[in-house]
Amino acid sequence: MFIPFITTGIGSLPHTDAVAACTTILNSFDVPFWPQFPRLSFRELMIPQFSEGIPLIKIDTEKKTIWVDKDNYESATKFLESYTDDFILPVSEDFAKGLYTFLRVMEGIYFAVLKGHITGPLTFSLGLKDNNGKPVYFDEEIREIILLALKAKIRWQVQQLKSLAQYVIIFIDEPVLSALGTSSYLGVNTEEALRLLKETSDAIKNAGAISGIHCCSKADWSLVINSGAGIISFDAYDYIESLPVYSEEFTKFLKEGGYLAWGIVPTTDAINNENSESLKQRFDRGLEILTKTMPSDLLLSQIILTPSCGAGSLSIEEAEKVFKTLGELKEILVESYT
C-alpha cells in the first residue's frame, strides 16, 4: 500500500504557533499529521487531550492536574446506558488546536494519506489517577468507560481526516508498554492489556482507517503484534536490538502485510550529533541485525520512516533538524535500497 521509505511523524511538536507548525509538517513529510502542542497548553498533553467529555474526569488547568472523581457515578451510568457502537465524542479546539488548525490549513487539498493519533487505553488508564492516587486502570468499570470513550473519539477523528484524504492512519500512542511487567505495573493482566489494544485497533479499522501502534522504547512485542495493528512504530535509533527476540512473530506480521515504522532519527539531544550520513550507517547496522532472522525483502518493502518519538521536548530548531534529516535520510535510503 505504501511506497517504501515513505515518511511521517509522531504527534508532538515544540511550537506554539499552530499555523507555522502545520506548514512545517506539510513541507516536511510524505504523510502529514496533525500536531500536538504540549508547550501551548496543559490540555494538549497526552491524557488531558482526549479526556474531554469522559465522565468522572476532572481537570484543573491552573494547577495542571487531571484526576477521576469517583463521587459522581451517575454521569458514568448515563454514559454507559446511552453508549452505542456509532457514538462519537469530539475533541474541541481548546484541547487540540493542532488538529483544527491542520484541518483549516489543509482545506482544499486532497491527500493520498493523512495521519492522526490517539492516546492508548493502557497509557491513559494507567497514567490517570483517582482521588486516592490509584491508577484508574484497576477500576474495571472506569477502565471500560475510558476504552469506550477513546473508541468514540477515534470514530470522530477519522471522520474529520477522511474529508481530506483517501486513506487515514491512526496511531495508538502507548509509551507505557515499555513499563509493563515492571514492579509498578505487576497488576496489569496481559490478556486484558491485549483486549484493550485489540478493541482500540479494531475501532480504528471499523471506522475505515489503518491502525498503527507507537511504542518509543522496548516492549513485549508479541503483545503489540497480536493487537491487530497494521503498522508497528518503534524506536529504531536506540532499541532495535529488542526486536530479534520476536523475529518469528515479526516475520509473520510482515508476511501478512504489516509495516514497520522505523523511528530512526532521534528526538533527543542526540540529534545534535547526527546527520543523514551517520544515520544511514546506523540504519545499515540495524538492518544487518534484523536480517539475520527476518526476510530482508519484506523489511525493505514494508518500511515507513519516522522520528523516534514526538519532538515536543526539543527546541524548534532541533525539531526542524529532525524533520530535515529524516527527508535527507529517505533520499539516501531510496537510492541505496530501491
Side-chain angles (χ1 to χ4, degrees), residues 84-297:
T84 62
D85 287 341
D86 59 357
F87 176 67
I88 61 171
L89 195 55
V91 180
S92 73
E93 188 162 0
D94 284 344
F95 287 77
K97 188 173 181 64
L99 173 55
Y100 283 83
T101 304
F102 183 84
L103 294 172
R104 288 192 290 267
V105 169
M106 307 304 171
E107 188 175 4
I109 309 173
Y110 193 72
F111 295 87
V113 193
L114 289 177
K115 175 186 170 290
H117 24 259
I118 189 84
T119 301
L122 289 165
T123 294
F124 198 107
S125 61
L126 285 166
L128 181 63
K129 309 289 177 58
D130 63 20
N131 35 11
N132 295 315
K134 185 176 181 180
V136 298
Y137 169 90
F138 297 104
D139 184 306
E140 184 176 350
E141 187 170 43
I142 296 176
R143 185 172 71 231
E144 194 65 20
I145 287 170
I146 287 170
L147 174 64
L148 293 174
L150 292 176
K151 289 161 69 172
K153 288 178 181 288
I154 286 167
R155 287 189 283 270
W156 175 82
Q157 186 183 158
V158 172
Q159 286 180 6
Q160 309 312 303
L161 296 176
K162 271 281 191 180
S163 66
L164 296 177
Q166 182 179 3
Y167 298 104
V168 170
I169 299 168
I170 302 290
F171 271 16
I172 305 164
D173 291 332
E174 282 287 19
V176 81
L177 286 174
S178 63
L180 295 187
T182 64
S183 58
S184 299
Y185 300 110
L186 288 178
V188 177
N189 178 274
T190 301
E191 290 183 2
E192 176 63 5
L194 180 58
R195 181 186 75 87
L196 295 174
L197 293 177
K198 286 186 74 170
E199 288 206 22
T200 307
S201 179
D202 286 346
I204 294 168
K205 291 184 281 189
N206 291 338
I210 300 162
S211 66
I213 291 187
H214 170 68
C215 181
C216 48
S217 185
K218 294 182 288 187
D220 176 352
W221 292 114
S222 62
L223 182 67
V224 177
I225 292 166
N226 289 324
S227 71
I231 302 170
I232 294 175
S233 169
F234 69 102
D235 181 344
Y237 184 82
D238 278 324
Y239 295 101
I240 198 159
E241 292 184 352
S242 69
L243 272 65
V245 176
Y246 304 89
S247 59
E248 187 174 331
E249 293 99 320
F250 273 113
T251 298
K252 183 174 183 288
F253 170 77
L254 291 166
K255 285 182 176 179
E256 292 176 350
Y259 280 75
L260 291 180
W262 291 53
I264 191 64
V265 181
T267 52
T268 63
D269 57 8
I271 187 57
N272 296 307
N273 301 315
E274 298 286 3
N275 56 47
S276 56
E277 291 294 341
S278 65
L279 290 173
K280 164 64 163 58
Q281 294 174 15
R282 200 174 188 96
F283 177 88
D284 289 343
R285 290 195 298 271
L287 185 64
E288 183 180 359
I289 290 170
L290 296 190
T291 53
K292 290 178 181 178
T293 54
M294 302 182 210
S296 60
D297 59 330

Side-chain angles (χ1 to χ4, degrees), residues 5-11 25 28-34 113-117 169 171 231 233 261-263 304-309 322-323 326 330:
F5 303 105
I6 196 170
T7 63
T8 192
I10 314 302
I25 288 169
S28 302
F29 295 93
D30 298 321
V31 178
F33 59 95
W34 64 268
V113 193
L114 289 177
K115 175 186 170 290
H117 24 259
I169 299 168
F171 271 16
I231 302 170
S233 169
W262 291 53
I304 298 168
L305 297 178
T306 73
S308 62
C309 200
V322 168
F323 303 161
L326 181 68
K330 175 198 170 174

